[in-house]
Amino acid sequence: ETKIIDLPLFGIKDDVFKTFEDRPNLLTKREIRIQILADLELSKKGVIWDICAGCGSIGLEALKISPNLKLLCIDKRIGSRNLIIKNARNLGVYPEEIIEDDIKNLLKLKLKKSIERPNRIIIGGANKKTKIQIINQLSAIMKKGNIVVIPIIEIEALRELKEVLIDNNFHIELNLIQTYRSLSISEGTRFEPNNPVFILKGKKFG
């Protein structure tokens, strides 16, 4: 078991997080997570939605940084709720709610009154069509200064998602993050590239 006391406040290593046994590499890598957390402009209080949360790494680390945030994790994969609970315990943080369901079902319910409205949103997975639906529907309940951050690996989706954010009154920032990790070999060290990731940030201005 991971010892909570040994974990840093920020920049938690990937191997701290438990992942799905059949998809052990299915999490947002540390270097990308750091940039996403910076782009979220975390405050001391607020409501953050981690949509398609997977193992919960982004939202849970946000709570580690700012424990008074209210975190809602949403993921449709069976077993995601238990996985996020285990990772939350290891990090010593407490999500407000974990929903194991498709975000589209939640949106169809017109958002239960019991679910608090977000001022920070991460859209970590889902196909382009679902991402567009999320932006179009949730932007209507977001206020000036609220932020959406979307990591994107498919360049084809980038332009359309950017335009949808602009149409919904968001200022746009875009980063391309390409990182390399060192590997020891007999001659010394070589560098292994991680997949490049676009990080699309929208900040609502009206």
Side-chain angles (χ1 to χ4, degrees):
E1 290 294 317
T2 305
K3 293 181 180 179
I4 295 169
I5 196 169
D6 292 337
L7 296 179
L9 179 64
F10 184 66
I12 296 168
K13 290 185 177 179
D14 295 342
D15 59 11
V16 167
F17 295 98
K18 296 180 184 297
T19 54
F20 294 103
E21 290 183 6
D22 61 334
R23 299 287 299 277
N25 293 317
L26 189 65
L27 86 160
T28 303
K29 299 296 187 292
R30 178 178 181 267
E31 294 85 354
I32 305 302
R33 207 164 58 242
I34 287 170
Q35 184 61 54
I36 291 171
L37 291 165
D39 281 343
L40 284 168
E41 300 179 24
L42 298 172
S43 56
K44 289 184 178 180
K45 292 185 178 181
V47 180
I48 182 168
W49 284 22
D50 190 353
I51 300 173
C52 303
C55 70
S57 60
I58 302 172
L60 295 177
E61 188 163 358
L63 270 190
K64 185 76 175 169
I65 296 166
S66 187
N68 291 324
L69 289 173
K70 292 183 177 181
L71 171 65
L72 169 65
C73 293
I74 306 162
D75 198 281
K76 67 180 181 180
R77 182 163 181 168
I78 293 170
S80 59
R81 188 174 189 277
N82 285 337
L83 191 59
I84 293 168
I85 288 170
K86 287 177 183 176
N87 283 325
R89 285 174 183 162
N90 278 349
L91 269 64
V93 297
Y94 304 93
E96 186 79 5
E97 192 167 1
I98 304 168
I99 298 175
E100 192 173 292
D101 197 359
D102 194 319
I103 179 63
K104 289 183 285 188
N105 293 334
L106 200 63
L107 295 175
K108 282 178 188 173
L109 294 172
K110 304 297 182 187
L111 305 176
K112 297 184 301 180
K113 287 185 178 178
S114 62
I115 298 175
E116 293 202 52
R117 303 298 191 258
N119 48 40
R120 298 290 186 272
I121 295 175
I122 310 147
I123 310 175
N127 58 35
K128 181 181 71 174
K129 184 179 178 182
T130 302
K131 284 186 173 86
I132 291 170
Q133 182 184 351
I134 292 167
I135 295 166
N136 281 331
Q137 196 159 339
L138 293 186
S139 65
I141 62 170
M142 297 181 77
K143 297 178 180 178
K144 184 178 179 179
N146 290 179
I147 291 171
V148 178
V149 179
I150 313 169
I152 302 169
I153 56 173
E154 312 92 353
I155 193 169
E156 293 81 6
L158 186 59
R159 180 177 177 181
E160 197 166 346
L161 289 168
K162 182 180 173 184
E163 288 175 354
V164 170
L165 283 170
I166 291 169
D167 288 344
N168 281 285
N169 297 325
F170 287 90
H171 285 300
I172 298 302
E173 290 180 23
L174 183 62
N175 270 312
L176 172 60
I177 309 295
Q178 171 70 78
T179 62
Y180 297 78
R181 289 187 177 180
S182 61
L183 289 176
S184 296
I185 56 175
S186 55
E187 295 84 5
T189 303
R190 71 179 176 87
F191 284 88
E192 185 84 5
N194 291 319
N195 286 336
V197 178
F198 292 96
I199 299 179
L200 179 61
K201 172 183 178 177
K203 190 168 186 177
K204 197 155 178 72
F205 63 83

